[in-house]
Amino acid sequence: MLPLRFRRVTMSARVLVGVKRVIDYAVKIRVKPDRTGVVTDGVKHSMNPFCEIAVEEAVKLKEKKLVKEVVAVSCGPQQVQETIRTALAMGADRGIHVEVSGKDYETLGPLQVSKIFAALAKKEQADLIILGKQAIDDDCNQTGQMTAALLDWPQGTFASEVTLEADKLKVVREIDGGLETIKIKLPAVVTADLRLNTPRYATLPNIMKAKKKKIVNVKPADLGVDVSSRLEVLKVDEPPQRQSGVKVETVHDLVEKLKEAGRI
Amino acid sequence: MRLPIACFPLLVPHYNKHTTIVPIGGVCLNLRKMDQVLDLHQEDFDVTVEPGVTPKGLNSYLRDTGLWFPVDPGADASLCGMAATSASGTNAVRYGTMRGNVLNLEVVLADGTVLHTAGKGRRPRKTSAGYNLTNLFVGSEGTLGIITKATLRLFGIPESMVSAVCSFPSVQSAVDSTVQILQAGVPIARIEFLDDVMINACNRFNNLSYAVTPTLFLEFHGSSKSMEEQVSITEEITWDNGGSDFAWSEDEETRGRLWKARHDAWYAALALRPGCKAYSTDVCVPISRLPQIIVETKEDLIRNNITGPIAGHVGDGNFHCLIVLDPNDPDEVQRVHSFTERLARRALAMDGTCTGEHGIGLGKRALLREEVGLLAIEVMQGLKATLDPKNLMNPGKVL
């Protein structure tokens, strides 16, 4: 069995896609009165928007017959199965639910998730991992990069365009100065940025069909991963309330006020 | 002093978009902050929404369920506002208008009491219980009460969508094709008609090169397997009627490009005369009368030197002239005004209506009388007097 790094990718390529269940982007977030976190009870949750883009890209690759199988993975309690089902309805072939609940779930972060993904990539013999660039709840933007490092795979992050060319991936990345195009060898990790594609809405017939697709349950311990966290959240606060401005009568007053405030 | 009340309607974008016209002063209520989606019942295909929810917002909320609310008036308007104005959209031919898709309303009446038109919390798909109060308020344009909740009928997102475009040698052949497509039982989702003036404007605006003749833009919804059948039946019909350049696509990007002309029609029309304003007419006739009314209307436009490209929902017999005029030219304004009156009367003479989608408001009150007759107006006035004896609700509109 050749080491992962040297396997040639053929039409039998397998893609792992990570999907995270987060508070829906349209919800107004409220901080809990005890300032330990945000209110999640009874609040609408859905798939992280960047994960939707990741799933869409994987499904597109499958529709173009460039990859054979798309596996959707999510880490969390029972409810994340809904998120995996959405990925299945969008076109993923099967799902893996890594069970993490209770305190472990509250402290689950990119380091543990990337260890889980690295373990799954080896177990499932994945050729490509596509993740959202970041989750909209923690904005970490770390899981893709850490996963690639743990596997010693190349990474194409902030991807706005991905093209498969034989066993290499051409990735156009969105960076501060503009766009950077790189070529990386498979297997690799890609993280999806906003402009990579527009995710499809799951159609009702596809949601019905997705109910027959399999989701397998796995525990982190089965993968040899310790999910305990080395981080402790001390407090969570809302951003400061916006102060109202002050109107002044003359330019002279404006200059005085700016001087008072130490701005000029 | 008792103040009249008008609600903030978010209507289709035409001359007075986003403004509430209150001729005698009063209070405008903006219900935008009541923006919750309540009580979704996936298996029953129904959901209840507050006034601040729009079709885009609702469909985004529903995206994990495979359901959608397909009535799409073009502007991302308030759903309760759409109920108040009996809004319609480009896919009414398949999914209907608000009239058929509102199951229940919560309405605040003029005296402050709260009415549930079909009974509190009720949402059966059909009923024959008592007078149809729900549909009394749908289209009442805020004159009978303020809608604070609407229970809506949802549909499954179709497995597959295909868009197509076809050119025709004449208005008649385009409309004949439309009628035959419907008669063939093709469950077509959208049939949009653009006349040669509109196509020309679109070509210029978007650097396209469609043939400058009447054109149909079509959309099919259904299972993947049925798409090919629907498209081939339709293509054959258009061919039999002299249609040409039939192009179709299932791929989302190509579909967007095919329909770009139709999506940008409003702006393309405006671009014909930069610096001018646009005013949209709205009439609806039985489909068989569509060729005649469009031909006569085009002759009227030319005779009176009015820039009026035409776009229409031909599957419903409904069309709009997107008139582009200089509001500072009193002669032109007068010509356009007379034209619109003639157009409305032309539609009435053909068993049609003076407004397919946009409502009566202020401007079409006299035409409403002509359309429904004195007795119907008296019945409507009786209902208004019963529900709003002090004439607080959006006074001066509709009646």
Side-chain angles (χ1 to χ4, degrees), chain B residues 123-334:
Chain B
R123 49 191 182 83
R125 285 176 74 81
K126 63 185 196 187
T127 174
S128 49
Y131 298 164
N132 190 345
L133 293 181
T134 305
N135 274 40
L136 172 63
F137 287 91
V138 174
S140 60
E141 300 184 34
T143 56
L144 299 178
I146 302 166
I147 298 174
T148 49
K149 284 197 187 77
T151 305
L152 304 170
R153 188 192 301 275
L154 298 173
F155 293 78
I157 298 177
E159 191 178 15
S160 194
M161 291 191 192
V162 168
S163 302
V165 185
C166 188
S167 304
F168 292 86
S170 65
V171 175
Q172 183 78 50
S173 56
V175 179
D176 284 347
S177 300
T178 303
V179 173
Q180 287 161 27
I181 291 167
L182 293 168
Q183 287 171 334
V186 175
I188 192 133
R190 288 187 162 101
I191 318 184
E192 292 291 289
F193 169 86
L194 266 56
D195 78 341
D196 54 325
V197 179
M198 180 57 92
I199 286 287
N200 185 38
C202 292
N203 280 346
R204 286 161 61 166
F205 186 71
N206 272 317
N207 265 332
L208 301 165
S209 51
Y210 285 114
V212 182
T213 61
T215 307
L216 286 184
F217 288 79
L218 309 120
E219 192 168 285
F220 306 87
H221 293 177
S223 68
S224 311
K225 285 199 185 131
S226 72
M227 283 295 105
E228 219 185 298
E229 185 188 40
Q230 289 189 39
V231 171
S232 74
I233 293 175
T234 304
E235 188 172 11
E236 209 183 310
I237 291 172
T238 62
W239 184 253
D240 287 340
N241 284 294
S244 57
D245 303 318
F246 188 94
W248 66 274
S249 173
E250 193 172 349
D251 166 64
E252 195 171 341
E253 214 183 298
T254 320
R255 277 177 42 217
R257 262 186 283 126
L258 280 179
W259 266 70
K260 191 159 171 49
R262 171 65 188 87
H263 285 139
D264 291 343
W266 180 256
Y267 304 103
L270 272 172
L272 283 175
R273 291 179 66 190
C276 287
K277 298 269 186 200
Y279 171 84
S280 172
T281 68
D282 170 40
V283 296
C284 187
V285 296
I287 304 170
S288 60
R289 309 301 301 269
L290 206 51
Q292 184 189 355
I293 193 172
I294 290 183
V295 166
E296 285 179 19
T297 303
K298 281 168 78 69
E299 284 167 4
D300 194 342
L301 286 166
I302 294 170
R303 225 180 4 252
N304 287 287
N305 210 17
I306 298 173
T307 314
I310 293 177
H313 319 304
V314 289
D316 311 316
N318 179 212
F319 73 97
H320 309 291
C321 301
L322 305 185
I323 299 177
V324 190
L325 77 159
D326 178 2
N328 299 317
D329 177 352
D331 177 60
E332 187 170 11
V333 170
Q334 180 53 40

Side-chain angles (χ1 to χ4, degrees), chain A residues 24-26 28 44-47 49 52 86 198-207 209, chain B residues 33 35-36 45 56 59-67 155-160 224 252:
Chain A
D24 187 85
Y25 75 88
K28 291 189 190 69
K44 181 167 201 273
H45 284 65
S46 52
M47 190 189 293
E52 289 179 344
T86 304
T198 308
R200 63 196 67 189
Y201 281 9
T203 70
L204 192 56
N206 283 348
I207 289 181
K209 284 185 206 159
Chain B
K33 284 194 178 164
D35 60 0
Q36 294 305 297
F45 288 71
K56 279 205 179 94
N59 287 334
S60 174
Y61 183 95
L62 295 172
R63 69 192 186 284
D64 295 335
T65 62
L67 300 171
F155 293 78
I157 298 177
E159 191 178 15
S160 194
S224 311
E252 195 171 341

